[in-house]
Amino acid sequence: MAGCVARRALAVGSRWWARSLTGARGPRPLCVAGGAGAFPPAAAATTRRHLSSRNRPEGKVLETVGVFEVPKQNGKYETGQLFLHSVFGYRGVVLFPWQARLYDRDVASAAPEKAENPAGHGSKEVKGKTHTYYQVLIDARDCPHISQRSQTEAVTFLANHDDSRALYAIPGLDYVSHEDILPYTSTDQVPIQHELFERFLLYDQTKAPPFVARETLRAWQEKNHPWLELSDVHRETTENIRVTVIPFYMGMRWRYCIRLENLDSDVVQLRERHWRIFSLSGTLETVRGRGVVGREPVLSKEQPAFQYSSHVSLQASSGHMWGTFRFERPDGSHFDVRIPPFSLESNKDEKTPPSGLHW
């Protein structure tokens, strides 16, 4: 078992791997427990090379599922690349990459401060830089173990019916930043359990990675491209809590995915949200509420991140959103974390949202 790391090492364990793999001299095996959730995160994270029997629940054994590769410092990962998520710890496979504009407000800007306005709440001009994100499939076996920290239905569509604006979701799809990818290889011809894996990917041992896109994946990407593509990513850190926002235009309404990440070792809990939504029709809406999506997540060193998605409609074709999240410390004190302002821009050419999955 030398070199194995339990699948549920999650944030702590996988972050350690993210650092150590950069200078890896040889292959490191990636192992999982023989039953779902066999290892608690803290126990798994402290075992680098050996897993003693007292850390392993009775009847649970480790099974090797692949071998870690050195993460890419340059370039991008190709379709079919297997990976472990460095923050949420799930296994997945890359479907295709996106080139996004990352607006990182933590990077000092040389531009002078702008006067306060509904779109920017007194913020600095931030220039975007190109960054790679990936559309991925999540292994269905891992979804139950990350559901409290990351929604596994982050990709949603607006149903195209005259009498309905209902949303429908595709389970097990996610968007992953390049630095969150911990690549590995596997000899298994179906290493990821997801109903779309074999519909989208074909095993070809002559290729590297040995999983290539089927025509169904290419057709699905082309048809749903306007609703899948992410173009802008916004990021800002307040008191060691980093907020990342990815907005999507869906035709008549917008979806936004938000990741909250605790970069410190102190435990904090999200208590409230405060949104400001400005529409070019001239309206400014304020929304306050407890938690997000019915939860008040705790961010700790062992489980530092939480990710969710939500939706918003405007009375105009475009607008802006910004706001704050209120967090509570163990001593009962509170502090506000800024949500970076982001634009809600409709596509220039009017498109009709998809009415379902098409292959």
Side-chain angles (χ1 to χ4, degrees):
M1 295 299 176
C4 292
V5 58
R7 171 175 57 81
R8 296 204 66 208
L10 299 178
V12 178
S14 39
R15 276 182 173 174
W16 178 88
W17 278 106
R19 292 193 296 270
S20 66
L21 281 173
T22 303
R25 296 181 179 178
R28 305 280 185 93
L30 168 64
C31 306
V32 298
F39 288 88
T46 58
T47 56
R48 174 179 175 180
R49 290 190 175 276
H50 301 284
L51 289 168
S52 64
S53 58
R54 69 174 180 270
N55 288 333
R56 183 168 63 243
E58 184 178 358
K60 304 298 183 181
V61 297
L62 287 180
E63 300 174 355
T64 300
V65 298
V67 177
F68 275 122
E69 298 177 310
V70 177
K72 288 187 176 182
Q73 301 301 310
N74 300 300
K76 66 179 185 294
Y77 298 104
E78 302 296 333
T79 296
Q81 175 66 60
L82 302 174
F83 71 92
L84 183 73
H85 196 293
S86 70
V87 174
F88 296 113
Y90 63 72
R91 289 165 288 175
V93 62
V94 170
L95 295 182
F96 39 81
W98 296 116
Q99 291 298 308
R101 292 187 301 273
L102 174 61
Y103 296 91
D104 192 344
R105 306 179 75 83
D106 299 334
V107 177
S109 173
E113 290 196 19
K114 302 173 68 176
E116 184 166 352
N117 58 75
H121 61 93
S123 59
K124 292 184 178 181
E125 184 75 26
V126 180
K127 294 184 177 180
K129 64 177 182 179
T130 301
H131 194 72
T132 303
Y133 275 74
Y134 300 93
Q135 188 88 64
V136 306
L137 281 183
I138 302 174
D139 194 309
R141 294 168 292 187
D142 296 340
C143 287
H145 308 300
I146 65 172
S147 61
Q148 293 302 311
R149 290 169 295 108
S150 177
Q151 289 181 337
T152 57
E153 297 182 352
V155 177
T156 54
F157 296 100
L158 189 64
N160 183 26
H161 299 100
D162 293 338
D163 58 347
S164 173
R165 293 185 178 181
L167 294 166
Y168 68 89
I170 305 174
L173 277 175
D174 199 4
Y175 295 90
V176 180
S177 176
H178 181 84
E179 62 267 22
D180 287 339
I181 297 284
L182 295 179
Y184 73 91
T185 59
S186 173
T187 57
D188 191 346
Q189 295 189 18
V190 188
I192 302 298
Q193 290 190 11
H194 190 287
E195 60 180 347
L196 297 179
F197 183 85
E198 291 185 272
R199 299 182 70 175
F200 280 170
L201 299 168
L202 174 68
Y203 180 77
D204 184 346
Q205 62 180 355
T206 66
K207 304 292 185 180
F211 303 99
V212 297
R214 291 182 182 270
E215 180 58 35
T216 50
L217 176 58
R218 289 190 287 266
W220 180 75
Q221 178 187 7
E222 180 179 358
K223 183 172 185 62
N224 296 296
H225 182 278
W227 327 109
L228 294 173
E229 181 177 10
L230 74 169
S231 58
D232 296 343
V233 179
H234 304 264
R235 190 161 66 192
E236 184 170 3
T237 302
T238 308
E239 296 200 34
N240 290 315
I241 304 297
R242 184 163 63 194
V243 180
T244 303
V245 183
I246 306 176
F248 300 84
Y249 177 62
M250 297 167 50
M252 300 179 68
R253 81 168 65 175
W254 287 261
R255 178 179 78 254
Y256 55 93
C257 296
I258 291 186
R259 176 165 134 181
L260 305 170
E261 188 171 5
N262 186 358
L263 305 180
D264 202 354
S265 58
D266 296 335
V267 178
V268 296
Q269 184 170 13
L270 175 64
R271 289 303 192 186
E272 299 176 9
R273 68 187 186 278
H274 177 201
W275 282 106
R276 307 274 292 196
I277 307 169
F278 175 74
S279 170
L280 287 188
S281 64
T283 61
L284 178 60
E285 182 180 2
T286 297
V287 178
R288 290 182 180 271
R290 297 286 295 182
V292 290
V293 293
R295 302 182 188 178
E296 296 181 21
V298 174
L299 305 182
S300 64
K301 185 177 180 180
E302 290 73 26
Q303 297 188 1
F306 180 80
Q307 180 173 292
Y308 75 98
S309 64
S310 190
H311 303 84
V312 64
S313 297
L314 298 180
Q315 297 179 2
S317 59
S318 60
H320 291 83
M321 288 180 66
W322 69 96
T324 56
F325 291 118
R326 175 153 292 185
F327 281 83
E328 182 179 358
R329 300 184 181 94
D331 63 6
S333 62
H334 295 83
F335 64 98
D336 289 337
V337 171
R338 291 184 296 274
I339 303 172
F342 56 96
S343 298
L344 301 173
E345 298 290 344
S346 61
N347 293 356
K348 293 181 180 180
D349 52 334
E350 292 298 325
K351 300 182 179 70
T352 303
S355 59
L357 292 177
H358 300 276
W359 312 104

